Amino acid sequence: EVDLEESGGGSVQAGGSLRLSCAASNHLYSNYCMGWFRQTPAKGDEGVATIYSGGGGTYYADSVKGRFTISQDNAKNTVYLQMNSLKPEDTALYRCAIRGGRWVQPDTCLSWLRLELFLPGDAHWGQGTRVTVSS
């Protein structure tokens, strides 16, 4: 079973920074997306950023462009989310996920970010790490 372990959440004042990490283990995917998604009671689920395994691209929600950066260390099967200039509206439970499979391509990562349905591959989710930004 694929396991995802997140770390790096916490509380910060507006304008501050946090770096989230997510280590994936027990997967054998060659083609995959990794990404960060967030949940709030008010907004529900939102795709934050995704990245393709083969270096094909990174994708961001409009609300975080220019402030957040997703990156990966393939050797460590780890994905990172550097969050700068944090705003109170970034407060959420952040969940890491991996979507892998034979037919997963870079555009799959963009579609997944947009929470589109009927995508190729199988998705696995972490438990999440909470980020709280105070004004």
Side-chain angles (χ1 to χ4, degrees), residues 110-129:
L110 177 57
S111 298
W112 195 27
L113 178 74
R114 294 171 173 171
L115 304 182
E116 294 180 13
L117 301 177
F118 309 115
L119 298 178
D122 298 315
H124 307 269
W125 297 83
Q127 293 298 309
T129 184

Side-chain angles (χ1 to χ4, degrees), residues 1-6 22-37 39 49-50 79 94-102 104 112 119-128:
E1 182 177 343
V2 178
D3 183 53
L4 297 163
E5 184 172 350
E6 301 117 327
C22 174
S25 57
N26 300 328
H27 82 83
L28 299 177
Y29 298 125
S30 297
N31 303 332
Y32 60 90
C33 307
M34 290 195 75
W36 291 93
F37 298 78
Q39 297 175 333
T50 56
V79 66
Y94 284 72
R95 298 182 70 189
C96 171
I98 184 170
R99 175 177 289 277
R102 179 180 180 183
V104 172
W112 195 27
L119 298 178
D122 298 315
H124 307 269
W125 297 83
Q127 293 298 309

Side-chain angles (χ1 to χ4, degrees), residues 44-103:
D45 296 334
E46 179 184 13
V48 177
T50 56
I51 186 168
Y52 183 63
S53 57
T58 56
Y59 308 93
Y60 297 92
D62 288 342
S63 58
V64 307
K65 279 181 183 177
R67 301 188 298 122
F68 291 9
T69 303
I70 189 170
S71 61
Q72 62 184 357
D73 183 335
N74 288 336
K76 296 181 180 180
N77 278 330
T78 299
V79 66
Y80 305 95
L81 185 68
Q82 178 66 44
M83 304 186 295
N84 298 329
S85 302
L86 282 161
K87 304 175 180 179
E89 52 263 43
D90 294 317
T91 295
L93 178 69
Y94 284 72
R95 298 182 70 189
C96 171
I98 184 170
R99 175 177 289 277
R102 179 180 180 183
W103 304 109

